[in-house]
Amino acid sequence: GTASVKEICYFTGVTQGVVTALVKKGAAAFFEEEQFRVPKNLYTAQETTPVQLSEEQANACEALKKAFDAHSGQTSLLFGVTGSGKTQVFLSLIDHVLEQGRGVIVMVPEISLTAQTLGLFRGRYGDRVAVFHSGLSNGERLDEWKRVQRGLATVVLGTRSAVFAPMENIGLILLDEEQEYTYKSENSPRYHARDVARFRAAYHKGLCLLASATPSIESFYMASLPAGTPGRYGLQVLSHRYGEAVLPDVEI
C-alpha cells in the first residue's frame, strides 16, 4: 500500500532518514500524488429519494428538456410559486443534462444558501460537485478550479463567481432566485451573472434557466414577448404548491 512519509514516521517512530534508506535500498519508493483540498464543514450530505413529479412539474420539466435538446442556446424562465417544487424540476433536468455528458452550473444568491444546496447536491451527485464562493481559501478555490478544468467535477455550485467556472462543455446554467441583486457585481470588473450566464449558455448551445417565485421585471418582460421575437425567453409556470400544500391567504 501507500502512505505519506509523515504518517509512516509518526506511526513507526522512526525519522525520515530511515525511510530514505529503505528507498535507496530498493525496498520502497517515493512518488508524488496531488491531493485536492475539499472544503470542510460546509454541508451535511442529504440522502435524496425519488420524488413523483406532479403533472404541472412533469410538463415544465419535459418542456425544459426539449429546450435543452434543441441545442439552441436559449434562455428560459421557470416561474413557480413558493413551495411549488422547483428544486425537483431542477434535479430532474440536471440528471438529463448529465446523462448527455454535459456539465451544469448552478448559482444561488447567498453563501448561506450554498451550504444547504450543497448538501442536497453532494448527496445526489457525490464527488462530481465542485463549489465556488467567497468563503473558500485561495488553496481550496484553486483545487476546485482544477477539478472542474480537468473534468473531475461536472456540477458546479456557487454564488455569482461560479458563472466563470472553467467548464468546457456546458449544458445548463441555472440561476435560482434570479431576481436577487447579489448577482450583480459592484466591484470591478462589473458584471451581472445573469448576462454572463446567458452568453455562456448561448456560446455552448446549452440552456440558461432562470428560476424564481418573484421574477425580475426584465426577465418576465422577455418571457412575455410574442413568439418569434428575437431574444424571447421560454416560460414555464408552476402555479400550484406541491402535494396538498396550499398558498396562504393574504390580507392587506
Side-chain angles (χ1 to χ4, degrees):
T2 63
S4 72
V5 174
K6 188 175 182 180
E7 287 176 323
I8 291 173
C9 294
Y10 176 79
F11 286 113
T12 60
V14 301
T15 65
Q16 187 169 337
V18 176
V19 182
T20 305
L22 286 172
V23 172
K24 286 181 178 178
K25 293 174 182 176
F30 283 141
F31 68 96
E32 291 187 354
E33 182 179 77
E34 189 173 24
Q35 294 288 335
F36 293 120
R37 284 154 288 200
V38 177
K40 303 291 185 183
N41 302 323
L42 286 180
Y43 68 95
T44 301
Q46 303 173 20
E47 291 188 13
T48 57
T49 54
V51 174
Q52 181 67 41
L53 297 181
S54 67
E55 182 179 355
E56 197 173 47
Q57 286 174 312
N59 291 339
C61 195
E62 285 305 311
L64 292 171
K65 287 178 181 178
K66 287 181 181 177
F68 165 75
D69 292 337
H71 302 292
S72 59
Q74 77 174 80
T75 299
S76 289
L77 173 64
L78 179 61
F79 181 11
V81 299
T82 304
S84 58
K86 294 187 290 297
T87 301
Q88 294 303 325
V89 176
F90 299 161
L91 293 174
S92 180
L93 178 60
I94 290 170
D95 289 344
H96 179 72
V97 173
L98 294 177
E99 286 170 4
Q100 308 300 314
R102 305 188 69 182
V104 176
I105 297 175
V106 179
M107 284 181 282
V108 292
E110 298 285 349
I111 292 180
S112 58
L113 294 174
T114 307
Q116 64 186 53
T117 309
L118 184 58
L120 176 65
F121 276 63
R122 276 276 165 84
R124 192 178 183 101
Y125 304 114
D127 292 335
R128 289 190 291 171
V129 180
V131 60
F132 288 90
H133 59 70
S134 58
L136 303 182
S137 68
N138 286 339
E140 290 171 336
R141 196 185 305 242
L142 176 61
D143 284 353
E144 294 293 84
W145 193 90
K146 287 179 179 177
R147 290 178 60 226
V148 176
Q149 187 191 41
R150 297 175 188 179
L152 301 176
T154 52
V155 178
V156 171
L157 174 68
T159 48
R160 64 172 178 253
S161 61
V163 77
F164 296 111
M167 192 173 279
E168 293 297 328
N169 187 15
I170 299 173
L172 171 68
I173 302 181
L174 166 64
L175 274 81
D176 196 14
E177 303 296 344
E178 65 89 24
Q179 81 285 353
E180 289 289 343
Y181 71 93
T182 48
Y183 283 124
K184 184 184 289 187
S185 174
E186 300 289 344
N187 302 320
S188 183
R190 292 175 175 81
Y191 66 93
H192 198 305
R194 183 176 60 217
D195 297 332
V196 180
R198 288 174 52 216
F199 178 86
R200 291 199 76 185
Y203 182 86
H204 289 271
K205 293 186 169 34
L207 173 66
C208 178
L209 178 60
L210 312 176
S212 177
T214 53
S216 64
I217 294 172
E218 301 95 324
S219 296
F220 192 69
Y221 170 77
M222 294 300 291
S224 303
L225 292 173
T229 305
R232 176 183 180 270
Y233 293 175
L235 176 63
Q236 305 303 322
V237 178
L238 301 177
S239 56
H240 300 92
R241 283 192 160 184
Y242 184 76
E244 301 298 321
V246 295
L247 288 170
D249 292 327
V250 178
E251 292 183 11
I252 301 177

